[in-house]
């Protein structure tokens, strides 16, 4: 077997790993849109491939999927496919098309009549994320994907840790956190406790800024609201996401829970105007928060991707508004700044909100990376999804690993 990493050996995101079997069959694991625009080369998406595995529904792992040939089988989890399509619906775009095949966690399946694949469900800030063991030609590759041990699904990490795959020739490990700190809020539980303290004292509404698809974070906010008898307000897109995830995780919240209300945004409702959405729209109508928030704003917590300045201005006469930013703060800074950064900065600068950063990463700490590597005990370790592979190599070497190689993008390596 040959292995090539098209990109990811020196950057976070944009993952694309190629496995080529001795019979010439080619399997790709992930085909992410790059987060780093310094390297704009995505010409490899037109290369020959016989099948594609998608680890989870974050753009930096599936975002270039549309560029491969339509006939190529694309293997995903069902929740992953549903969440990708949720994004399409609310962007006003057609559902993704392709030769999709879904798989179940903790089972083997065969790809391209050549590769045997085992999917481990992992703890991550995505509602569904997988690591893969891939077997071919007597070789075994373990691709960790993005994972952590500190979320509400942390037991999934320990499931792998205590019963790891054996006889692994190549361990492709993510290393996002090698230069980032997770010390202030090391777990999802600590995030929930911190949010709980904020909303316990609120006199006006609290806005929590996070991803609609970060279900762990939404669960943390739901727990905090429950503890303080607050109502949680989500938008129409978030309501649809919760329904999608509920199919595989029946204990997770949806808008049918008494604690949850919906901000009935007209532009979002336009995206679900078809008859196939009739039942969903009725449920939205039943849970519409309307103008009640303006009567008793201290009873409400908003879960948003970006705060609405008009809402903030309307609520200001009622007292101090909390803004909890519950994502990586790099998205507010040069280099990784997103569309919402100027809005949040203006709210902070004009002192319209009381700003707090309460967040824990969706990625594994160095300690947990090392623990998993020790448990798997592979013949070779190669860092991926990291901006500093040399630092990760050094950290692993200090733990006794002498088998950490630093690979280059676009180069074929023999196993």
């Amino acid at each position: 077997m040959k292995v090539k990493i098209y990109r990811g050996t020196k950057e976070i995101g944009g993952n694309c790993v190629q496995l080529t079997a001795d019979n010439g069959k080619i399997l790709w694991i992930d085909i992410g849109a790059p987060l780093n625009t310094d390297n704009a080369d995505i010409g490899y998406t037109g290369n020959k491939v016989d099948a594609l595995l998608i680890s989870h529904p974050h753009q930096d792992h599936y975002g270039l999927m549309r560029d491969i040939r339509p006939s190529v089988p694309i293997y995903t989890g069902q929740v992953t496919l549903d969440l990708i399509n949720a994004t399409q619906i609310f962007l006003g775009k057609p559902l993704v098309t392709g030769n999709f095949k879904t798989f179940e966690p903790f089972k083997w399946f065969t790809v391209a009549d050549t590769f045997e694949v085992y999917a481990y469900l992992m703890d991550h800030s995505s509602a569904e994320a997988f690591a893969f063991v891939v077997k071919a030609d007597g070789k075994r590759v373990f691709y960790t994907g993005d994972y952590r041990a500190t979320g509400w699904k942390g037991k999934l990490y320990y499931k792998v840790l205590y019963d790891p795959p054996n006889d692994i020739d190549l361990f492709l490990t993510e290393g996002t956190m090698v230069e980032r700190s997770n010390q202030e809020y090391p777990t999802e539980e600590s995030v929930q406790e911190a949010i709980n303290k904020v909303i316990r004292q609120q006199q006006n509404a609290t806005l929590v800024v996070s991803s609609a698809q970060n279900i762990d974070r939404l669960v943390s906010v739901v727990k905090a609201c429950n503890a303080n008898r607050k109502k949680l307000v989500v938008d129409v897109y978030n309501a649809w996401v919760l329904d999608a995830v509920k199919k595989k995780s029946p204990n997770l919240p949806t808008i049918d829970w008494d604690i949850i209300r919906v901000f009935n945004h007209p532009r979002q409702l336009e995206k679900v105007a078809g008859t196939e959405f009739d039942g969903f729209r009725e449920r939205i109508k039943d849970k519409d928060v309307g103008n009640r928030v303006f009567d008793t704003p201290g009873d409400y917590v908003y879960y948003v991707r970006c705060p609405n300045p008009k809402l903030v201005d309307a609520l200001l006469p009622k007292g101090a508004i909390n803004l909890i930013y519950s994502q990586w703060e790099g998205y507010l800074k040069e280099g990784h700044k997103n569309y919402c950064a100027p809005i949040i900065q203006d709210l902070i600068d004009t002192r319209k909100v009381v700003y707090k950063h309460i967040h824990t990463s969706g990625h594994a700490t160095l300690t947990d990376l090392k623990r998993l590597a020790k448990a798997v005990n592979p013949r070779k370790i190669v860092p991926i999804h990291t901006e500093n592979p040399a630092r990760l190599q050094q950290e692993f070497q200090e733990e006794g690993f002498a088998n950490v190689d630093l690979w280059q993008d676009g180069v074929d390596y023999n196993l």
Side-chain angles (χ1 to χ4, degrees):
M1 186 194 298
K2 291 183 178 180
V3 182
K4 178 189 292 185
I5 301 172
Y6 278 111
R7 66 186 311 151
T9 62
K10 298 182 183 66
E11 65 186 290
I12 294 170
N15 275 25
C16 186
V17 174
Q18 175 173 292
L19 306 181
T20 305
D22 292 347
N23 65 3
K25 291 293 182 72
I26 295 173
L27 171 65
W28 284 355
I29 308 177
D30 284 339
I31 183 166
L35 299 176
N36 185 343
T37 56
D38 293 342
N39 177 8
D41 179 20
I42 56 171
Y44 51 86
T45 58
N47 292 356
K48 176 183 181 295
V49 59
D50 295 292
L52 169 65
L53 290 174
I54 298 295
S55 65
H56 66 280
H58 283 166
Q59 284 277 352
D60 63 322
H61 288 260
Y62 82 86
L64 300 181
M65 184 176 67
R66 65 186 181 278
D67 294 337
I68 67 172
R69 289 179 292 112
S71 60
V72 173
I74 301 173
Y75 292 80
T76 76
Q78 185 61 58
V79 172
T80 294
L81 184 56
D82 288 346
L83 290 179
I84 291 172
N85 273 324
T87 301
Q88 294 294 107
I89 290 169
F90 284 88
L91 287 175
K93 297 181 179 180
L95 299 183
V96 293
T97 57
N99 185 10
F100 287 100
K101 300 177 183 297
T102 58
F103 56 80
E104 294 294 326
F106 308 112
K107 292 183 179 179
W108 288 97
F109 55 98
T110 302
V111 174
D113 297 320
T114 300
F115 302 94
E116 297 295 320
V117 180
Y118 188 84
Y120 287 94
L121 188 62
M122 302 294 278
D123 180 25
H124 183 44
S125 52
S126 169
E128 182 177 72
F130 293 98
F132 300 113
V133 171
V134 182
K135 299 193 302 183
D137 306 325
K139 300 294 184 180
R140 294 164 63 94
V141 175
F142 185 23
Y143 174 88
T144 68
D146 291 357
Y147 75 98
R148 64 178 177 179
T150 53
W152 295 118
K153 305 185 296 296
K155 64 182 181 181
L156 294 171
Y157 169 82
Y158 292 97
K159 182 180 178 72
V160 183
L161 189 72
Y162 297 139
D163 187 17
N166 55 27
D167 201 29
I168 296 297
D169 296 285
L170 175 62
F171 184 61
L172 291 169
T173 177
E174 76 127 301
T176 310
M177 292 291 287
V178 69
E179 291 187 302
R180 297 183 186 178
S181 172
N182 213 27
Q183 292 180 350
E184 187 171 6
Y185 303 106
T187 66
E188 200 63 46
E189 185 176 8
S190 66
V191 166
Q192 182 241 308
E193 291 171 352
I195 293 174
N196 182 63
K197 290 178 182 178
V198 172
I199 69 175
R200 183 187 302 146
Q201 306 297 327
Q202 73 181 47
Q203 300 300 314
N204 201 338
T206 293
L207 311 180
V208 180
V209 178
S210 194
S211 166
Q213 295 195 12
N214 188 343
I215 303 301
D216 265 24
R217 190 58 40 81
L218 187 136
V219 167
S220 296
V221 179
V222 167
K223 287 175 179 283
C225 287
N226 261 326
N228 294 280
R229 298 182 180 180
K230 306 297 183 185
K231 298 296 185 184
L232 178 64
V233 183
V234 301
D235 66 8
V236 179
Y237 169 61
N238 214 153
W240 184 260
V241 166
L242 292 175
D243 274 6
V245 177
K246 181 85 170 182
K247 295 175 185 176
K248 289 288 186 179
S249 302
N251 294 325
L252 289 176
T254 69
I255 62 170
D256 300 316
W257 284 29
D258 181 64
I259 196 174
I260 298 180
R261 298 289 183 269
V262 182
F263 171 52
N264 198 343
H265 198 293
R267 285 201 297 272
Q268 288 189 336
L269 278 179
E270 290 173 2
K271 310 300 184 184
V272 288
T275 56
E276 68 272 28
F277 300 108
D278 284 352
F280 176 68
R281 288 198 310 274
E282 283 300 312
R283 290 167 59 220
I284 292 293
K285 181 180 178 181
D286 289 343
K287 298 306 291 284
D288 186 359
V289 69
N291 292 321
R292 282 168 288 182
V293 64
F294 300 109
D295 297 328
T296 56
D299 292 340
Y300 294 91
V301 174
Y302 278 77
Y303 190 88
V304 300
R305 289 176 304 288
C306 190
N308 184 336
K310 291 182 179 179
L311 174 64
V312 171
D313 288 341
L315 290 173
L316 270 178
K318 301 287 187 176
I321 298 169
N322 297 311
L323 193 155
I324 298 174
Y325 189 74
S326 202
Q327 298 186 108
W328 178 51
E329 271 194 310
Y331 293 134
L332 300 179
K333 300 173 182 176
E334 294 300 331
H336 296 281
K337 185 180 292 187
N338 66 14
Y339 75 100
C340 191
I343 295 173
I344 291 175
Q345 194 60 54
D346 181 67
L347 292 176
I348 296 170
D349 292 344
T350 56
R351 299 186 180 181
K352 292 182 178 180
V353 296
V354 179
Y355 176 80
K356 294 183 183 295
H357 182 232
I358 302 175
H359 175 62
T360 194
S361 179
H363 298 273
T365 64
L366 267 171
T367 298
D368 292 329
L369 291 171
K370 293 172 183 178
R371 291 176 73 190
L372 186 59
K374 286 181 179 178
V376 174
N377 192 27
R379 295 180 180 85
K380 187 185 299 293
I381 299 173
V382 173
I384 189 173
H385 204 277
T386 179
E387 292 176 341
N388 196 336
R391 168 76 184 280
L392 191 61
Q393 181 186 48
Q394 178 186 349
E395 292 281 349
F396 273 45
Q397 286 173 343
E398 291 173 359
E399 292 291 321
F401 292 101
N403 58 345
V404 182
D405 285 358
L406 302 185
W407 285 6
Q408 303 298 315
D409 286 348
V411 177
D412 276 311
Y413 295 89
N414 290 311
L415 278 192

